[in-house]
Coordinates of all heavy atoms in Angstrom, one line a residue:
A163 N -1.7 -20.3 6.1 CA -2.6 -21.1 5.6 C -4.0 -20.8 6.0 O -4.3 -20.2 7.1 CB -2.3 -22.5 6.0
L164 N -5.0 -21.1 5.2 CA -6.4 -20.7 5.5 C -6.8 -21.3 6.9 O -7.4 -20.6 7.8 CB -7.4 -21.2 4.5 CG -8.9 -20.9 4.7 CD1 -9.2 -19.5 4.7 CD2 -9.7 -21.8 3.8
W165 N -6.4 -22.6 7.1 CA -6.8 -23.1 8.5 C -6.1 -22.4 9.6 O -6.6 -22.8 10.7 CB -6.5 -24.7 8.4 CG -5.0 -25.0 8.1 CD1 -4.6 -25.5 6.7 CD2 -3.9 -24.9 8.9 NE1 -3.3 -25.7 6.8 CE2 -2.8 -25.4 8.0 CE3 -3.6 -24.6 10.2 CZ2 -1.5 -25.5 8.5 CZ3 -2.2 -24.6 10.6 CH2 -1.3 -25.0 9.8
F166 N -5.3 -21.5 9.3 CA -4.7 -20.7 10.4 C -5.4 -19.5 10.6 O -5.9 -19.1 11.6 CB -3.2 -20.6 10.3 CG -2.7 -19.7 11.4 CD1 -2.3 -20.2 12.6 CD2 -2.4 -18.4 11.1 CE1 -1.8 -19.4 13.5 CE2 -1.9 -17.6 12.3 CZ -1.6 -18.2 13.5
S167 N -5.5 -18.8 9.4 CA -6.0 -17.4 9.4 C -7.5 -17.3 9.7 O -8.0 -16.3 10.2 CB -5.6 -16.7 8.1 OG -6.0 -17.4 7.0
D168 N -8.2 -18.3 9.4 CA -9.7 -18.2 9.7 C -10.0 -18.6 11.1 O -11.3 -18.6 11.5 CB -10.5 -19.1 8.7 CG -10.4 -20.5 8.8 OD1 -9.7 -21.0 9.7 OD2 -11.0 -21.3 8.1
S169 N -9.0 -19.1 11.9 CA -9.5 -19.6 13.1 C -8.3 -19.4 14.3 O -8.5 -18.6 15.1 CB -9.8 -21.2 13.1 OG -8.8 -21.8 12.4
L170 N -7.3 -20.2 14.2 CA -6.3 -20.1 15.2 C -5.7 -18.8 15.5 O -5.3 -18.4 16.6 CB -5.2 -21.1 14.9 CG -5.7 -22.6 14.7 CD1 -4.5 -23.5 14.3 CD2 -6.3 -23.2 16.0
S171 N -5.7 -18.0 14.3 CA -5.1 -16.6 14.5 C -5.9 -15.7 15.4 O -5.5 -14.6 15.8 CB -4.9 -16.0 13.2 OG -6.2 -15.8 12.6
R172 N -7.1 -16.2 15.8 CA -7.9 -15.3 16.7 C -7.3 -15.4 18.1 O -7.7 -14.6 18.9 CB -9.3 -15.9 16.8 CG -10.1 -15.6 15.5 CD -11.6 -15.7 15.8 NE -12.2 -16.2 14.4 CZ -13.3 -16.7 14.4 NH1 -14.1 -16.9 15.5 NH2 -13.8 -17.0 13.3
L173 N -6.4 -16.4 18.4 CA -5.8 -16.3 19.7 C -4.7 -15.4 19.5 O -3.8 -15.6 18.8 CB -5.3 -17.8 20.1 CG -6.4 -18.9 20.2 CD1 -5.7 -20.2 20.6 CD2 -7.4 -18.5 21.3
P174 N -4.6 -14.3 20.5 CA -3.6 -13.3 20.3 C -2.1 -13.8 20.4 O -1.3 -13.3 19.8 CB -3.8 -12.3 21.3 CG -5.0 -12.9 22.2 CD -5.5 -14.1 21.5
D175 N -1.9 -14.9 21.1 CA -0.6 -15.4 21.3 C -0.2 -16.5 20.4 O 0.9 -17.1 20.3 CB -0.5 -16.1 22.7 CG -1.8 -17.0 23.0 OD1 -2.9 -16.4 22.9 OD2 -1.6 -18.2 23.2
W176 N -1.0 -16.7 19.3 CA -0.7 -17.6 18.1 C -0.4 -16.8 16.9 O -1.1 -16.0 16.6 CB -1.8 -18.5 17.8 CG -2.1 -19.6 18.9 CD1 -2.1 -19.5 20.3 CD2 -2.2 -21.0 18.5 NE1 -2.3 -20.8 20.8 CE2 -2.3 -21.7 19.9 CE3 -2.2 -21.9 17.6 CZ2 -2.4 -23.1 20.0 CZ3 -2.3 -23.2 17.6 CH2 -2.4 -23.8 18.8
Q177 N 0.9 -17.0 16.4 CA 1.3 -16.3 15.2 C 1.8 -17.2 14.1 O 2.2 -18.4 14.4 CB 2.6 -15.5 15.7 CG 2.6 -14.7 16.9 CD 1.8 -13.6 16.7 OE1 1.5 -13.0 15.7 NE2 1.1 -13.2 17.9
W178 N 1.7 -16.8 12.9 CA 2.2 -17.5 11.8 C 3.7 -17.4 11.7 O 4.2 -16.3 11.8 CB 1.6 -17.0 10.4 CG 1.9 -18.0 9.3 CD1 2.9 -17.5 8.2 CD2 1.4 -19.3 9.0 NE1 2.9 -18.7 7.4 CE2 2.2 -19.6 7.9 CE3 0.6 -20.1 9.7 CZ2 2.0 -20.9 7.2 CZ3 0.4 -21.3 9.1 CH2 1.0 -21.8 8.0
E179 N 4.4 -18.4 11.6 CA 5.9 -18.4 11.6 C 6.4 -18.9 10.3 O 6.3 -19.9 9.7 CB 6.4 -19.4 12.6 CG 7.9 -19.7 12.7 CD 8.7 -18.3 12.7 OE1 8.6 -17.8 13.9 OE2 9.5 -18.0 11.9
P180 N 7.1 -17.8 9.5 CA 7.5 -18.1 8.1 C 8.6 -19.1 8.1 O 8.8 -19.8 7.2 CB 8.1 -16.8 7.7 CG 7.4 -15.8 8.5 CD 7.1 -16.4 9.8
D181 N 9.4 -19.3 9.2 CA 10.6 -20.2 9.3 C 10.3 -21.1 10.3 O 11.1 -21.1 11.4 CB 11.9 -19.5 9.3 CG 13.1 -20.3 9.2 OD1 12.8 -21.6 8.8 OD2 14.2 -19.8 9.1
I182 N 9.3 -22.0 10.1 CA 9.0 -22.9 11.2 C 10.1 -23.9 11.5 O 10.3 -24.4 12.6 CB 7.6 -23.7 10.9 CG1 7.1 -24.4 12.2 CG2 7.8 -24.6 9.8 CD1 6.6 -23.5 13.2
A183 N 10.9 -24.3 10.4 CA 11.9 -25.3 10.7 C 13.0 -24.7 11.7 O 13.5 -25.5 12.7 CB 12.6 -25.6 9.4
A184 N 13.3 -23.4 11.6 CA 14.3 -22.8 12.6 C 13.6 -22.8 13.8 O 14.3 -22.9 14.9 CB 14.6 -21.4 12.0
A185 N 12.4 -22.4 13.9 CA 11.7 -22.4 15.4 C 11.7 -23.9 15.9 O 12.0 -23.9 17.2 CB 10.3 -21.9 15.2
I186 N 11.4 -24.8 15.3 CA 11.5 -26.3 15.7 C 12.9 -26.5 16.2 O 13.1 -27.1 17.3 CB 11.0 -27.2 14.7 CG1 9.6 -27.0 14.3 CG2 11.2 -28.6 15.2 CD1 9.0 -27.7 13.0
E187 N 13.9 -26.2 15.4 CA 15.3 -26.6 15.8 C 15.7 -25.7 17.1 O 16.4 -26.5 17.9 CB 16.2 -26.1 14.7 CG 16.1 -27.1 13.4 CD 16.8 -26.6 12.2 OE1 17.7 -25.6 12.3 OE2 16.7 -27.2 11.1
R188 N 15.4 -24.5 17.2 CA 15.6 -23.8 18.5 C 15.1 -24.4 19.6 O 15.7 -24.7 20.7 CB 15.3 -22.3 18.3 CG 15.7 -21.7 19.6 CD 15.3 -20.2 19.6 NE 15.6 -19.6 20.9 CZ 14.7 -19.3 21.8 NH1 13.4 -19.6 21.5 NH2 15.1 -18.8 23.0
K189 N 13.7 -24.8 19.5 CA 13.0 -25.4 20.6 C 13.6 -26.7 21.0 O 13.7 -27.1 22.1 CB 11.5 -25.6 20.2 CG 10.7 -26.1 21.4 CD 10.2 -24.9 22.4 CE 9.4 -25.2 23.4 NZ 8.7 -26.3 23.7
F190 N 14.0 -27.6 19.9 CA 14.6 -28.8 20.2 C 15.9 -28.6 21.0 O 16.1 -29.4 21.9 CB 14.9 -29.4 18.8 CG 15.4 -30.9 18.8 CD1 14.8 -31.9 19.2 CD2 16.9 -31.0 18.4 CE1 15.4 -33.2 19.3 CE2 17.5 -32.2 18.5 CZ 16.7 -33.3 18.9
A191 N 16.7 -27.6 20.6 CA 18.0 -27.5 21.2 C 17.6 -27.1 22.7 O 18.4 -27.7 23.7 CB 18.7 -26.4 20.6
I192 N 16.8 -26.2 22.9 CA 16.5 -25.7 24.4 C 16.0 -26.9 25.1 O 16.3 -27.2 26.3 CB 15.4 -24.6 24.3 CG1 15.9 -23.4 23.4 CG2 14.9 -24.3 25.8 CD1 16.9 -22.5 24.2
N193 N 15.0 -27.8 24.5 CA 14.4 -28.9 25.2 C 15.5 -30.0 25.5 O 15.3 -30.8 26.4 CB 13.2 -29.4 24.5 CG 12.1 -28.6 24.6 OD1 11.3 -28.3 23.6 ND2 11.8 -27.9 25.7
C194 N 16.4 -30.1 24.6 CA 17.5 -31.1 24.9 C 18.4 -30.8 26.0 O 19.2 -31.5 26.5 CB 18.4 -31.2 23.7 SG 17.6 -32.2 22.4
I195 N 18.2 -29.5 26.6 CA 19.1 -29.1 27.6 C 18.3 -28.9 28.9 O 18.6 -29.6 29.9 CB 19.8 -27.7 27.2 CG1 20.6 -27.9 26.1 CG2 20.7 -27.2 28.4 CD1 21.0 -26.5 25.4
I196 N 17.3 -28.1 28.9 CA 16.6 -27.8 30.1 C 15.8 -29.0 30.6 O 15.9 -29.4 31.8 CB 15.6 -26.5 29.9 CG1 16.4 -25.2 29.6 CG2 14.8 -26.4 31.2 CD1 15.6 -24.1 29.5
N197 N 15.1 -29.7 29.7 CA 14.3 -30.8 30.1 C 14.9 -31.8 30.8 O 14.7 -32.3 31.9 CB 13.4 -31.3 28.9 CG 12.4 -30.0 28.4 OD1 12.9 -29.0 28.5 ND2 11.3 -30.5 27.9
P198 N 16.0 -32.5 30.2 CA 16.7 -33.7 31.0 C 17.4 -33.1 32.3 O 17.4 -33.8 33.2 CB 17.6 -34.2 29.9 CG 17.7 -33.3 28.8 CD 16.6 -32.4 28.8
L199 N 18.0 -32.1 32.1 CA 18.8 -31.5 33.3 C 17.8 -31.2 34.5 O 18.1 -31.7 35.7 CB 19.5 -30.2 33.0 CG 20.9 -30.3 32.7 CD1 21.6 -29.0 32.7 CD2 21.7 -31.3 33.7
T200 N 16.6 -30.5 34.2 CA 15.7 -30.3 35.4 C 15.1 -31.6 35.9 O 14.8 -31.8 37.1 CB 14.7 -29.3 35.0 OG1 14.1 -29.8 33.7 CG2 15.2 -27.9 34.7
A201 N 14.7 -32.5 34.8 CA 14.1 -33.7 35.4 C 15.1 -34.6 36.2 O 14.7 -35.2 37.2 CB 13.8 -34.5 34.1
Q202 N 16.3 -34.7 35.8 CA 17.4 -35.4 36.5 C 17.7 -34.8 37.8 O 17.7 -35.5 38.9 CB 18.6 -35.5 35.6 CG 19.3 -36.9 35.9 CD 20.2 -36.9 37.2 OE1 20.5 -35.8 37.6 NE2 20.5 -38.1 37.8
R203 N 17.7 -33.5 38.0 CA 18.0 -32.8 39.2 C 16.8 -32.4 40.0 O 16.9 -31.9 41.1 CB 18.8 -31.6 38.9 CG 20.2 -31.8 38.3 CD 21.0 -30.5 38.0 NE 21.1 -29.6 39.1 CZ 22.1 -29.9 40.0 NH1 22.9 -31.0 39.7 NH2 22.4 -29.2 41.1
R204 N 15.6 -32.7 39.5 CA 14.3 -32.3 40.1 C 14.3 -30.9 40.5 O 14.1 -30.6 41.7 CB 14.0 -33.3 41.3 CG 13.8 -34.8 40.8 CD 13.4 -35.6 42.0 NE 13.3 -37.0 41.7 CZ 12.2 -37.6 41.8 NH1 11.1 -37.1 42.3 NH2 12.0 -38.9 41.4
C205 N 14.6 -30.1 39.5 CA 14.6 -28.7 39.9 C 13.9 -27.9 39.1 O 13.4 -28.3 37.9 CB 16.1 -28.2 40.0 SG 16.9 -28.1 38.5
L206 N 13.5 -26.7 39.4 CA 12.8 -25.7 38.5 C 13.8 -25.1 37.5 O 15.1 -25.2 37.7 CB 12.3 -24.5 39.3 CG 11.3 -24.9 40.4 CD1 10.9 -23.5 41.1 CD2 10.1 -25.5 39.9
N207 N 13.2 -24.6 36.4 CA 14.1 -24.2 35.3 C 15.2 -23.1 35.9 O 16.3 -23.1 35.4 CB 13.3 -23.5 34.2 CG 12.4 -24.6 33.5 OD1 12.5 -25.7 33.9 ND2 11.7 -24.2 32.5
G208 N 14.7 -22.2 36.7 CA 15.5 -21.1 37.2 C 16.7 -21.6 38.1 O 17.7 -21.0 38.2
D209 N 16.5 -22.9 38.7 CA 17.6 -23.4 39.5 C 18.8 -23.8 38.7 O 19.7 -24.1 39.4 CB 17.0 -24.6 40.4 CG 15.8 -24.2 41.3 OD1 15.8 -23.0 41.6 OD2 15.1 -25.1 41.7
L210 N 18.6 -23.8 37.4 CA 19.9 -24.2 36.6 C 20.8 -23.0 36.5 O 21.9 -23.0 36.0 CB 19.4 -24.6 35.3 CG 18.7 -26.0 35.2 CD1 18.2 -26.3 33.7 CD2 19.5 -27.1 35.8
L211 N 20.3 -21.8 37.2 CA 21.2 -20.7 37.2 C 21.6 -20.4 38.6 O 21.7 -19.3 39.2 CB 20.5 -19.4 36.7 CG 19.9 -19.5 35.2 CD1 18.9 -18.3 35.0 CD2 21.0 -19.7 34.2
D212 N 22.1 -21.6 39.4 CA 22.4 -21.5 40.7 C 23.8 -21.1 41.1 O 24.1 -21.2 42.3 CB 22.0 -22.9 41.3 CG 22.9 -24.0 40.8 OD1 23.8 -23.6 39.8 OD2 22.7 -25.1 41.3
Q213 N 24.5 -20.8 40.1 CA 25.9 -20.5 40.3 C 26.7 -21.6 40.9 O 27.7 -21.3 41.6 CB 26.1 -19.1 41.2 CG 25.4 -17.9 40.6 CD 25.6 -16.6 41.3 OE1 25.7 -16.7 42.5 NE2 25.8 -15.6 40.5
G214 N 26.2 -22.7 40.8 CA 26.9 -23.9 41.4 C 26.9 -25.1 40.4 O 27.0 -24.8 39.1
E215 N 26.7 -26.2 40.9 CA 26.7 -27.4 40.1 C 25.6 -27.4 38.8 O 26.0 -27.8 37.9 CB 26.3 -28.7 41.0 CG 26.3 -30.0 40.3 CD 27.7 -30.6 39.9 OE1 28.6 -29.9 40.1 OE2 27.6 -31.7 39.4
G216 N 24.4 -26.9 39.2 CA 23.4 -26.9 38.1 C 23.9 -26.0 36.9 O 23.7 -26.4 35.8
E217 N 24.4 -24.8 37.3 CA 24.9 -24.0 36.2 C 26.2 -24.5 35.5 O 26.2 -24.4 34.3 CB 25.3 -22.5 36.8 CG 25.4 -21.4 35.9 CD 25.2 -20.0 36.5 OE1 24.9 -20.0 37.7 OE2 25.4 -19.1 35.8
R218 N 27.0 -25.2 36.2 CA 28.0 -25.8 35.6 C 27.6 -26.9 34.6 O 28.1 -27.0 33.4 CB 29.0 -26.5 36.6 CG 30.4 -26.9 36.2 CD 31.3 -27.7 37.2 NE 30.5 -29.0 37.6 CZ 30.4 -30.1 36.8 NH1 30.9 -30.1 35.5 NH2 29.9 -31.2 37.3
L219 N 26.7 -27.6 35.0 CA 26.2 -28.7 34.0 C 25.3 -28.1 32.9 O 25.5 -28.5 31.8 CB 25.2 -29.6 34.7 CG 25.9 -30.5 35.9 CD1 24.8 -31.2 36.7 CD2 26.8 -31.6 35.2
L220 N 24.7 -26.9 33.2 CA 23.9 -26.2 32.1 C 25.0 -25.8 31.1 O 24.7 -26.0 29.8 CB 23.2 -25.1 32.6 CG 22.4 -24.2 31.7 CD1 21.1 -25.0 31.3 CD2 21.9 -22.8 32.4
E221 N 26.1 -25.3 31.4 CA 27.0 -24.7 30.5 C 27.7 -25.9 29.6 O 27.8 -25.8 28.4 CB 28.1 -24.0 31.1 CG 29.1 -23.3 30.2 CD 29.9 -22.3 30.8 OE1 30.1 -22.2 32.0 OE2 30.7 -21.6 29.9
Q222 N 28.0 -27.0 30.4 CA 28.6 -28.1 29.7 C 27.6 -28.8 28.8 O 27.9 -29.1 27.6 CB 29.0 -29.2 30.7 CG 29.6 -30.4 30.1 CD 29.9 -31.6 31.1 OE1 29.9 -31.4 32.3 NE2 30.1 -32.7 30.5
L223 N 26.4 -29.0 29.1 CA 25.3 -29.6 28.2 C 25.0 -28.7 27.1 O 24.9 -29.1 26.0 CB 24.0 -30.0 29.1 CG 23.0 -30.6 28.3 CD1 23.6 -32.0 27.8 CD2 21.8 -31.0 29.1
A224 N 25.0 -27.3 27.3 CA 24.7 -26.5 26.2 C 25.8 -26.5 25.1 O 25.6 -26.6 24.0 CB 24.5 -25.1 26.8
G225 N 27.0 -26.6 25.7 CA 28.2 -26.7 24.8 C 28.2 -27.9 23.9 O 28.3 -27.8 22.7
E226 N 28.0 -29.1 24.5 CA 28.0 -30.2 23.8 C 26.7 -30.4 22.8 O 26.8 -31.0 21.7 CB 28.2 -31.6 24.6 CG 27.1 -32.0 25.4 CD 27.3 -33.3 26.2 OE1 28.4 -33.3 26.9 OE2 26.5 -34.2 26.2
V227 N 25.6 -30.0 23.2 CA 24.4 -29.9 22.4 C 24.6 -29.1 21.2 O 24.4 -29.4 20.0 CB 23.2 -29.6 23.2 CG1 21.9 -29.3 22.3 CG2 22.7 -30.7 24.2
E228 N 25.2 -27.9 21.4 CA 25.5 -27.0 20.2 C 26.4 -27.6 19.4 O 26.1 -27.5 18.0 CB 25.9 -25.6 20.8 CG 26.2 -24.7 19.7 CD 26.6 -23.2 20.1 OE1 26.4 -22.8 21.3 OE2 27.2 -22.5 19.3
T229 N 27.5 -28.1 19.8 CA 28.6 -28.6 18.7 C 27.9 -29.8 17.9 O 28.1 -30.0 16.7 CB 29.8 -29.1 19.3 OG1 29.6 -29.8 20.6 CG2 30.8 -28.0 19.7
N230 N 27.1 -30.6 18.7 CA 26.6 -31.7 18.0 C 25.4 -31.3 16.9 O 25.3 -31.9 15.9 CB 25.9 -32.8 18.9 CG 27.1 -33.8 19.4 OD1 27.4 -34.7 18.8 ND2 27.7 -33.4 20.6
L231 N 24.7 -30.3 17.4 CA 23.6 -29.8 16.5 C 24.3 -29.2 15.2 O 23.8 -29.3 14.2 CB 22.7 -28.8 17.2 CG 21.6 -29.5 18.2 CD1 20.9 -28.4 18.9 CD2 20.8 -30.5 17.5
Q232 N 25.3 -28.5 15.4 CA 26.0 -27.8 14.3 C 26.6 -28.9 13.4 O 26.3 -28.8 12.3 CB 27.3 -27.0 14.9 CG 26.9 -25.6 15.2 CD 28.0 -24.9 16.0 OE1 28.8 -25.5 16.6 NE2 27.8 -23.6 16.3
A233 N 27.1 -29.9 14.0 CA 27.5 -31.1 13.0 C 26.4 -31.7 12.3 O 26.7 -32.2 11.2 CB 28.3 -32.1 14.0
L234 N 25.3 -31.6 13.0 CA 24.1 -32.3 12.3 C 23.3 -31.3 11.3 O 22.4 -31.6 10.6 CB 23.1 -32.8 13.3 CG 23.6 -34.0 14.1 CD1 22.6 -34.2 15.4 CD2 23.5 -35.2 13.1
G235 N 23.8 -30.0 11.3 CA 23.1 -29.1 10.4 C 21.8 -28.6 11.1 O 20.9 -28.1 10.4
L236 N 21.7 -28.7 12.4 CA 20.5 -28.3 13.1 C 20.6 -27.1 14.0 O 19.8 -26.7 14.8 CB 20.1 -29.4 14.0 CG 19.5 -30.8 13.3 CD1 19.1 -31.8 14.3 CD2 18.2 -30.3 12.4
W237 N 21.9 -26.5 13.9 CA 22.0 -25.2 14.7 C 22.8 -24.2 13.7 O 24.0 -24.5 13.5 CB 22.7 -25.5 16.0 CG 22.8 -24.2 16.8 CD1 24.0 -23.4 16.9 CD2 21.8 -23.5 17.6 NE1 23.7 -22.3 17.8 CE2 22.3 -22.4 18.1 CE3 20.5 -23.8 17.8 CZ2 21.6 -21.5 19.1 CZ3 19.7 -23.0 18.7 CH2 20.3 -21.8 19.2
H238 N 22.1 -23.1 13.4 CA 22.9 -22.3 12.4 C 23.1 -20.9 13.0 O 23.7 -20.0 12.3 CB 21.9 -22.1 11.2 CG 21.5 -23.4 10.5 ND1 22.2 -24.1 9.8 CD2 20.4 -24.0 10.7 CE1 21.7 -25.2 9.4 NE2 20.5 -25.3 10.0
K239 N 22.6 -20.5 14.3 CA 22.6 -19.3 14.7 C 24.1 -19.0 15.1 O 24.9 -19.8 15.6 CB 21.8 -19.2 15.9 CG 20.4 -19.2 15.6 CD 19.5 -19.2 16.9 CE 18.8 -18.0 17.2 NZ 18.2 -18.0 18.5

Side-chain angles (χ1 to χ4, degrees):
L164 175 69
W165 51 259
F166 179 79
S167 54
D168 73 357
S169 51
L170 303 175
S171 67
R172 286 193 213 164
L173 298 179
D175 45 302
W176 283 53
Q177 314 287 333
W178 185 255
E179 172 57 64
D181 192 356
I182 194 69
I186 294 168
E187 285 171 11
R188 175 176 179 263
K189 185 81 184 340
F190 179 71
I192 301 287
N193 289 140
C194 281
I195 301 166
I196 297 181
N197 296 31
L199 260 189
T200 50
Q202 211 281 333
R203 294 177 64 76
R204 293 184 180 245
C205 69
L206 300 178
N207 296 357
D209 295 338
L210 296 177
L211 303 173
D212 63 359
Q213 301 188 322
E215 178 73 355
E217 198 160 355
R218 191 186 64 72
L219 292 172
L220 182 71
E221 184 168 10
Q222 184 189 337
L223 187 58
E226 70 177 50
V227 168
E228 181 174 343
T229 44
N230 277 281
L231 289 178
Q232 274 165 346
L234 289 165
L236 290 173
W237 184 259
H238 309 279
K239 285 173 115 186

